[in-house]
Amino acid sequence: VSGELSRQFVHRLRHQFKAILCGIGTVIADDPLLNTRIADMPEARNPIRIVLDRNLRIPLNSKLVTTARQIPLIVVHGNSADESKRQALHEAGAQTWCCGSLREMLSKAAEERIDGILLEGGGTINEAFLHEGLVNEVYAFIAPKLVGGADAKTPVEGRGIGQMAEALCLERTEIRQVGEDVLVHGLVKQ
């Protein structure tokens, strides 16, 4: 949706974070690589890739799995995940973590010295982290394109935020033009 300069900005963000996280919906829809691609910085660090995938639906031929030996991949699953799929992921070079909640996953990440996670999820993952109060900072790109409708994807889905009194407020905000897009950046008000 966003323009080329915004994508370059996001790749520089990826370089700054220890890990990047998305949900299985994003993996299935987009087959992302979630690496860092910066033309003038070939030595840019790739973040550890984390996928939230309760039932281990991640395709073994996905870009994430097939590059797990080159760029670390952690697949976070629930208690009922298929053991043979978990083993296949290990054989491909991925780690798997069994976690019952987002907080448990973040505790495990902290134990592994992952001190910052860039969340590049869809509306469902974004809503889950926001609902649990696990977001510290927001980078939101707005492209000069209009889409919508009752069934349109939105940045925050799930239960969402239906009342203005419950709105997530940002402080120390910065608004700037990035190519054709607008970036709104701010810290989540506690």
Side-chain angles (χ1 to χ4, degrees), residues 2-162:
S2 59
E4 182 57 33
L5 290 178
S6 295
R7 284 190 288 278
Q8 289 175 23
F9 183 94
V10 169
H11 281 278
R12 290 187 183 279
L13 274 179
R14 288 178 179 181
H15 168 71
Q16 295 172 20
F17 281 82
K18 183 82 176 218
I20 183 170
L21 182 145
C22 74
I24 187 59
T26 296
V27 174
I28 290 171
D30 301 337
D31 193 20
L33 191 53
L34 298 179
N35 67 343
T36 302
R37 298 180 296 276
I38 305 172
D40 62 346
M41 225 173 124
E43 75 288 353
R45 180 178 55 80
N46 286 310
I48 297 166
R49 295 142 340 144
I50 302 173
V51 176
L52 299 183
D53 182 7
R54 179 176 294 130
N55 297 311
L56 290 182
R57 296 186 302 143
I58 189 168
L60 294 175
N61 65 348
S62 68
K63 291 176 186 172
L64 291 168
V65 175
T66 59
T67 59
R69 294 198 187 285
Q70 293 79 42
I71 306 170
L73 172 64
I74 300 166
V75 183
V76 180
H77 61 84
N79 290 327
S80 62
D82 180 64
E83 180 59 30
S84 62
K85 181 76 174 268
R86 197 176 73 75
Q87 191 58 40
L89 287 167
H90 287 200
E91 290 170 10
Q95 293 182 54
T96 60
W97 294 351
C98 182
C99 297
S101 69
L102 293 177
R103 290 186 186 280
E104 183 180 348
M105 184 272 302
L106 290 176
S107 292
K108 176 76 173 158
E111 290 170 14
E112 298 293 324
R113 301 192 191 289
I114 297 173
D115 59 359
I117 298 175
L118 179 62
L119 178 59
E120 281 195 29
T124 302
I125 294 293
N126 291 344
E127 189 274 336
F129 275 82
L130 289 169
H131 182 77
E132 292 290 323
L134 302 174
V135 177
N136 297 324
E137 190 171 1
V138 173
Y139 291 88
F141 287 93
I142 303 166
K145 300 172 184 174
L146 296 177
V147 296
D151 297 325
K153 291 286 188 184
T154 64
V156 178
E157 293 178 1
R159 293 165 287 207
I161 302 168

